[in-house]
Amino acid sequence: MILALDQGTTSSRAILFDRNGTIKSVAQKEFPQIFPRPGWVEHNPHDIWSSQAGVAAEAITNAGVSARDVAAIGITNQRETTIVWDRRTGAPICNAIVWQDRRTSKICDALKKKRLDRLIAKKTGLVIDSYFSAPKLQWILENVPGARAKARRGELAFGTVDTWLIWNLTGGAKHVTDASNASRTMLMNIHTGDWDEELLTIFGAPRNMLPEICSSSEVYGQSQLFSDKIPISGIAGDQQAALFGQACATPGMAKNTYGTGCFMLMHTGTKAVPSKNKLLTTVAWKLGYKIEYALEGSIFIAGAVVQWLRDGLGIIKTSAEIEALASQAQDSGGVYLVPAFAGLGAPHWNQDARGLICGLSRGTTSAHLARAALEGIALQVVDVLGAMEADTGIRLKELRVDGGASMNNLLLQIQANLLNRPVVRPKISETTALGAAYLAGLGVGFWKDKAELSKHWQRDRVFKPEINTPARRALLEGWTAALNRTIQ
């Protein structure tokens, strides 16, 4: 079997897959979210590692097998989250700065004032935003006492979560990342596939801190976690892993993942398509020496708005309850919820925007608010797809979906209604972990090639549009008005 480690923003999971891509065992553990100040989001790197190591062992035990039955380990992870640790002791010098964190807004504003937008976009495919790793690394070096001096002496290591996990899995023997994760740091030139000296200078990042960039499917090292060593042979950032797990290996195919955030990727082949509509050009994966690319629309808040309704407002007790509550209302009653709790991502990229609820009346109920939250998620996806089709000139035939919220049938029906396109959910919704497993399996010859993997993909349910054009247009116009209020 193949063991996939899926290290997410709010929990760590481990899933065992067999040769048919069928799930044999799952283990999951949430870990604490740390909010030291408004706009700051942190994780304790020890929590990330201990929770991931714990569920890895649990998944193997639950399946009634041993480590010797595991052919390889694949890793997929929350991207952009930044960790710096001491090379000698392996101890982090501060908490991980999470991708949602906005503390580096001033650093980003200064870069924009220097008119570095075009240069950075050309080299990285990214827009200047707090979302990415480079400004987070710069903040750590400037604000953690002694960090800059230690970095210059070569005493510190930097990595995204994949790098941190492999460092610990191999007992500090391997300091590596893959091209998909490296492409999200704002330090890698996506055309050369290597760290870029000009970018390193801009962000003050010593090259000796950075991991080696590898392909997304090869043997990086041996895990020391179990009594039997297991090769680690697959890495991809969570959204790229989901694209691979959805068998979107042909240019023009796209998937959307509904997680804490919401992420749509369209495969563009071996060509990096520059975006004119504020999308990101990113590495999809690197197999052998060949880099394949994707266009990405990143939405910061998706499932997190449901968590807010649960934890912040208390109108639901569990996230799963939102579908039943929202179903009590035939529509949102004119209510719009723009979940810009951490600014707006693609295609708006406004880091100063904040959340908004508008259209309230005395007749507004918690059901209307719940439905408006689901519509807010789906409407953001509509904006991204519009930008994606404008950039590529491709009209999407169907949208493949995955992630925790993809099990919400009402959300997917709303999505199909607003997109006016079929929305397709696969039988195996754990496509992020599946993509990591596929990459790991290819790396050790467990599976032959991508063609073999594509045969495993199967549809579970197709959601087709059920509303007319005037109703759709009215919803989209109301959303645009609500967005404009958010941004002002």
Side-chain angles (χ1 to χ4, degrees):
M1 286 180 268
I2 302 291
L3 177 63
L5 305 183
D6 183 356
Q7 205 301 300
T9 308
T10 58
S11 69
S12 295
R13 291 192 295 170
I15 303 180
L16 270 175
F17 293 93
D18 66 12
R19 199 172 294 276
N20 296 318
T22 303
I23 294 173
K24 307 306 293 184
S25 176
V26 180
Q28 178 171 343
K29 184 177 182 179
E30 291 192 3
F31 58 89
Q33 307 295 298
I34 304 168
F35 307 102
R37 300 183 190 177
W40 289 31
V41 188
E42 298 179 354
H43 292 154
N44 184 327
H46 293 300
D47 290 339
I48 292 174
W49 165 239
S50 63
S51 61
Q52 191 65 78
V55 293
E58 186 180 341
I60 291 175
T61 300
N62 289 348
V65 299
S66 67
R68 70 186 63 180
D69 298 305
V70 179
I73 294 174
I75 293 173
T76 183
N77 54 283
Q78 54 167 314
R79 304 171 304 171
E80 297 93 18
T81 294
T82 300
I83 306 174
V84 176
W85 63 94
D86 186 291
R87 286 185 177 276
R88 184 179 61 83
T89 65
I93 66 169
C94 61
N95 279 339
I97 301 181
V98 179
W99 58 273
Q100 298 166 314
D101 189 283
R102 312 306 293 172
R103 77 184 67 183
T104 58
S105 294
K106 290 184 179 179
I107 291 175
C108 295
D109 288 341
L111 294 172
K112 292 174 185 176
K113 286 181 181 178
K114 293 178 182 178
R115 298 184 177 179
L116 291 168
D117 313 54
R118 186 173 296 180
L119 181 146
I120 288 175
K122 184 177 180 180
K123 287 175 178 279
T124 70
L126 309 177
V127 300
I128 296 175
D129 192 85
S130 299
Y131 181 28
F132 304 106
S133 308
K136 301 180 194 300
L137 175 57
Q138 181 178 340
W139 188 95
I140 290 172
L141 293 177
E142 291 175 352
N143 290 276
V144 175
R148 177 73 70 185
K150 288 182 179 179
R152 287 174 179 157
R153 294 195 298 267
E155 296 174 5
L156 299 181
F158 153 79
T160 43
V161 170
D162 57 310
T163 303
W164 171 244
L165 291 179
I166 291 178
W167 176 278
N168 284 283
L169 283 167
T170 62
K174 295 293 179 179
H175 185 212
V176 299
T177 189
D178 89 300
S180 73
N181 277 292
S183 75
R184 311 296 297 190
T185 61
M186 207 180 275
L187 296 172
M188 186 186 96
N189 187 316
I190 61 172
H191 309 288
T192 66
D194 196 7
W195 304 119
D196 188 277
E197 290 298 335
E198 190 171 9
L199 295 173
L200 297 182
T201 299
I202 288 171
F203 290 100
R207 193 182 181 100
N208 60 29
M209 292 186 72
L210 276 57
E212 175 189 356
I213 302 174
C214 301
S215 78
S216 305
S217 181
E218 64 176 90
V219 176
Y220 315 103
Q222 302 290 322
S223 168
Q224 310 293 320
L225 187 59
F226 308 103
S227 56
D228 292 276
K229 294 181 180 179
I230 306 172
I232 307 163
S233 55
I235 310 172
D238 52 10
Q239 304 313 318
Q240 290 95 330
L243 189 70
F244 200 79
Q246 285 275 35
C248 293
T250 304
M253 296 184 73
K255 70 87 198 175
N256 189 55
T257 298
Y258 300 86
T260 303
C262 212
F263 301 88
M264 184 186 293
L265 272 72
M266 177 183 283
H267 190 278
T268 62
T270 55
K271 181 182 179 182
V273 176
S275 176
K276 297 178 181 178
N277 293 280
K278 297 184 179 181
L279 298 178
L280 307 177
T281 304
T282 193
V283 171
W285 45 74
K286 181 182 179 184
L287 299 178
Y289 295 100
K290 186 173 76 172
I291 295 178
E292 297 178 47
Y293 298 91
L295 272 179
E296 175 174 331
S298 308
I299 296 165
F300 297 149
I301 300 294
V305 72
V306 179
Q307 294 175 328
W308 176 69
L309 292 178
R310 180 194 67 190
D311 303 333
L313 297 189
I315 67 172
I316 52 175
K317 292 183 178 178
T318 67
S319 296
E321 292 177 10
I322 190 168
E323 183 174 3
L325 178 59
S327 296
Q328 294 174 18
Q330 291 187 345
D331 54 47
S332 65
V335 176
Y336 286 86
L337 196 166
V338 184
F341 301 154
L344 286 171
H348 312 287
W349 292 108
N350 187 313
Q351 59 191 20
D352 297 317
R354 287 297 176 264
L356 172 80
I357 300 173
C358 63
L360 297 171
S361 71
R362 284 292 301 271
T364 300
T365 67
S366 58
H368 290 120
L369 196 57
R371 191 173 184 106
L374 296 183
E375 289 183 354
I377 296 170
L379 284 159
Q380 291 179 99
V381 174
V382 173
D383 288 345
V384 170
L385 180 59
M388 204 165 274
E389 292 182 331
D391 276 338
T392 61
I394 298 171
R395 178 174 168 80
L396 194 69
K397 293 180 180 179
E398 65 178 28
L399 180 64
R400 296 185 175 185
V401 298
D402 53 66
S406 70
M407 302 312 294
N408 185 319
N409 292 333
L410 178 58
L411 171 62
L412 297 193
Q413 186 57 59
I414 290 171
Q415 189 70 81
N417 290 346
L418 292 169
L419 285 176
N420 197 26
R421 237 66 60 86
V423 171
V424 183
R425 182 172 62 201
K427 283 192 175 180
I428 297 179
S429 62
E430 300 287 357
T431 53
T432 303
L434 183 60
Y438 281 165
L439 289 167
L442 289 176
V444 295
F446 190 81
W447 289 293
K448 182 181 178 182
D449 52 30
K450 288 192 287 184
E452 179 184 353
L453 299 177
S454 295
K455 295 176 183 177
H456 294 157
W457 189 88
Q458 293 179 307
R459 296 184 177 195
D460 170 48
R461 182 171 171 182
V462 179
F463 297 82
K464 297 181 179 180
E466 294 180 350
I467 63 173
N468 58 35
T469 299
R472 182 181 304 109
R473 184 180 294 123
L475 283 166
L476 295 176
E477 288 175 353
W479 171 251
T480 300
L483 269 180
N484 288 338
R485 295 185 185 185
T486 306
I487 294 170
Q488 288 176 355

